[in-house]
Amino acid sequence: MMRHVAVVGGGAAGIYAALGAREAGARATILERNRRLGIKILISGGGKCNITHDAGPTELERGFILREGRFLRYAFHEFPPSRLLRDLHAEGLQTVTRPNGRVFPLSGRADDVLSAFERMLAHAGVDVETGFPVQEIVLDGDRVCGVRVNDVARQFDAVVIATGGMSYRKVGTTGDGIRFAGVMGLSVVPVTAALAPIYFPAPPPAGWQGVALRDVLFWIERSNGTRPRFERASAYPVEWRGDLLLTHRGVSGPAALEVSRAAAVLGDRPGSVQLLVDLIPDTGADELRKEWDSRVAVSGRSEVQTFVGEYAPNALVPYLLESCGVQPGTKMSDVTRDERAAVLGVLRRWRVGTVGEVPVDRGEVTAGGVALEAVKPTTMAARGVHGLYIAGEALDIAGCVGGYNLQAAFSTGYVAGRSAALGQE
């Protein structure tokens, strides 16, 4: 008799769990709480959808911390980006790969990606039921026997949890699958933000809100000035070079997103973690001093803000000078040695603020979820609960910006669905 697999959640992991199950010969039913599948796919990449990262399994692993990359190794080998793109191209979706490896739909529309997935599901004969929030996973002893939907128990041979994490709750990622796993006795890691904006304890000055800093070095320090250290297996980035956006609440943009996981882990008390920026990471301290001295020698009556404005956005110059105790309009030749050191220092080490909050609900993904030790990486089967499989962001994984997280969802979903169909644990 054909096995019947329930896939709880119709996002990236759920879509490929269902496709993997059908490919392996089982019947597959997606139970999605929203009225349409893949709502988070639609909003990913600002509506453009960074589908995946064009790389081999080894490079994909490096987009995650060590223990997560090792866990994902098998799934990335079994279902690499090349397979995903082959499937999408077969459905008529054209893609473009940027020089940094990020893959987008040529149209720039995430809706085109989701439409291709919907066609794939239809062609594969997957049953899709939207508007059906699962209330619980039903057990018979230590074995899954179905799910409860609208107070009605429905029988299935296996269940794949693909409900996502807890970011963007307004689209339905409320952590239900993580809760289900915890109720069934699986180890769960508390959910924290990842790839999220970082908020200050108080709003920053209005004058710098909306300012974009291009190609800066951004890092965090403890309040005593020391850099945080993590074990190698949990080496969350504490610094990142890239673009940074100053917002009405704090900082966002690629550099902030990449550092946010470490900031969330360390910033348990508002103000305990400092946020610093090197505005000119390619300019050495000696080179900067020589440029200052040369400018004074040639045009000592030029004003200090003119010099600073060559290295920082004009909107920030008054704030940078204020932090140094130097008045705008001061002639460069009148700046004291200590003031010069302060001005040059702030360009290399600007304390932009402190961590107040890293909001879980605003992250592109969340860290935490079902502990990796509770799941078998070659099948995505839950240890100790027969017939249960877990994929995607419900797992304790969170990779870099650039398509890594969606690929992890597709890959783990495919392995989970195939394993569920074959009864492999």
Side-chain angles (χ1 to χ4, degrees):
M1 182 181 293
M2 179 183 292
R3 285 171 64 83
H4 192 179
V5 177
V7 179
V8 184
I15 287 169
Y16 258 100
L19 292 171
R22 288 294 293 144
E23 184 181 297
R27 181 183 173 190
T29 298
I30 294 177
L31 299 168
E32 165 58 46
R33 67 183 301 152
N34 291 313
R35 293 296 176 184
R36 188 183 182 188
L37 300 180
I39 298 299
K40 199 171 174 186
I41 292 174
L42 286 177
I43 64 175
S44 66
K48 297 179 180 179
C49 190
N50 182 183
I51 307 167
T52 185
H53 196 91
D54 185 21
T58 301
E59 185 178 338
L60 289 174
E61 284 182 45
R62 297 193 188 107
F64 297 79
I65 64 174
L66 184 63
R67 62 180 173 81
E68 295 172 7
R70 286 176 174 170
F71 177 87
L72 293 167
R73 181 175 300 167
Y74 179 85
F76 284 150
H77 277 277
E78 288 297 298
F79 192 86
S82 57
R83 164 65 194 275
L84 171 69
L85 294 176
R86 186 187 76 193
D87 290 350
L88 288 170
H89 294 163
E91 287 297 335
L93 183 78
Q94 294 180 289
T95 61
V96 58
T97 302
R98 295 181 179 176
N100 59 9
R102 300 179 185 185
V103 182
F104 290 84
L106 183 62
S107 65
R109 287 170 38 88
D111 193 74
D112 292 342
V113 179
L114 183 54
S115 294
F117 284 136
E118 290 172 331
R119 293 194 297 272
M120 290 163 61
L121 292 168
H123 296 160
V126 172
D127 300 322
V128 176
E129 300 183 20
T130 57
F132 281 84
V134 171
Q135 295 166 296
E136 82 175 298
I137 296 174
V138 182
L139 296 179
D140 181 4
D142 62 356
R143 180 172 294 277
V144 167
C145 62
V147 300
R148 189 175 302 279
V149 182
N150 293 331
D151 295 322
V152 176
R154 298 173 57 177
Q155 290 188 335
F156 292 95
D157 298 295
V159 174
V160 178
I161 290 177
T163 52
M166 295 178 67
S167 59
Y168 290 107
R169 294 190 181 194
K170 63 184 178 182
V171 302
T173 50
T174 56
D176 288 348
I178 300 171
R179 177 173 55 82
F180 295 153
V183 169
M184 288 182 282
L186 298 184
S187 177
V188 170
V189 178
V191 171
T192 59
L195 301 186
I198 301 173
Y199 293 166
F200 300 162
W208 78 32
Q209 296 174 18
V211 174
L213 305 177
R214 303 299 182 189
D215 193 26
V216 298
L217 182 64
F218 178 69
W219 74 96
I220 62 176
E221 289 182 359
R222 298 184 189 277
S223 55
N224 62 6
T226 61
R227 291 280 186 105
R229 292 184 180 274
F230 292 100
E231 294 181 7
R232 185 165 178 261
S234 302
Y236 314 128
V238 297
E239 70 174 36
W240 199 268
R241 183 165 174 174
D243 294 345
L244 189 71
L245 177 66
L246 307 180
T247 73
H248 68 293
R249 298 289 298 274
V251 289
S252 188
L257 299 187
E258 297 290 7
V259 171
S260 64
R261 188 173 182 180
V265 170
L266 295 166
D268 53 347
R269 291 180 296 104
S272 64
V273 175
Q274 302 182 81
L275 305 169
L276 297 109
V277 179
D278 183 344
L279 294 163
I280 47 174
D282 288 327
T283 303
D286 289 342
E287 179 183 353
L288 192 60
R289 281 194 298 270
K290 289 177 181 177
E291 178 60 29
W292 176 284
D293 293 341
S294 174
R295 190 70 57 85
V296 171
V298 172
S299 180
R301 304 310 292 169
S302 61
E303 296 178 344
V304 65
Q305 69 266 24
T306 302
F307 179 86
V308 175
E310 294 178 11
Y311 297 97
N314 288 331
L316 289 184
V317 171
Y319 302 99
L320 296 173
L321 291 177
E322 180 183 2
S323 70
C324 300
V326 176
Q327 291 294 322
T330 304
K331 309 301 182 190
M332 291 185 67
S333 57
D334 294 334
V335 173
T336 68
R337 179 177 296 181
D338 288 345
E339 289 173 337
R340 182 191 72 165
V343 171
L344 300 185
V346 78
L347 294 173
R348 302 297 308 279
R349 184 183 166 85
W350 178 37
R351 184 177 177 276
V352 64
T354 60
V355 176
E357 178 191 4
V358 186
V360 169
D361 191 45
R362 300 301 300 167
E364 293 186 13
V365 298
T366 48
V370 180
L372 301 186
E373 295 77 12
V375 178
K376 299 175 184 177
T378 55
T379 60
M380 298 298 148
R383 300 182 190 272
V385 183
H386 299 293
L388 180 67
Y389 302 80
I390 303 170
E393 201 186 333
L395 296 164
D396 180 24
I397 54 174
C400 297
V401 172
Y404 293 95
N405 291 288
L406 271 178
Q407 184 60 47
F410 295 132
S411 296
T412 57
Y414 174 81
V415 171
R418 184 187 63 186
S419 301
L422 299 173
Q424 295 177 336
E425 296 186 4

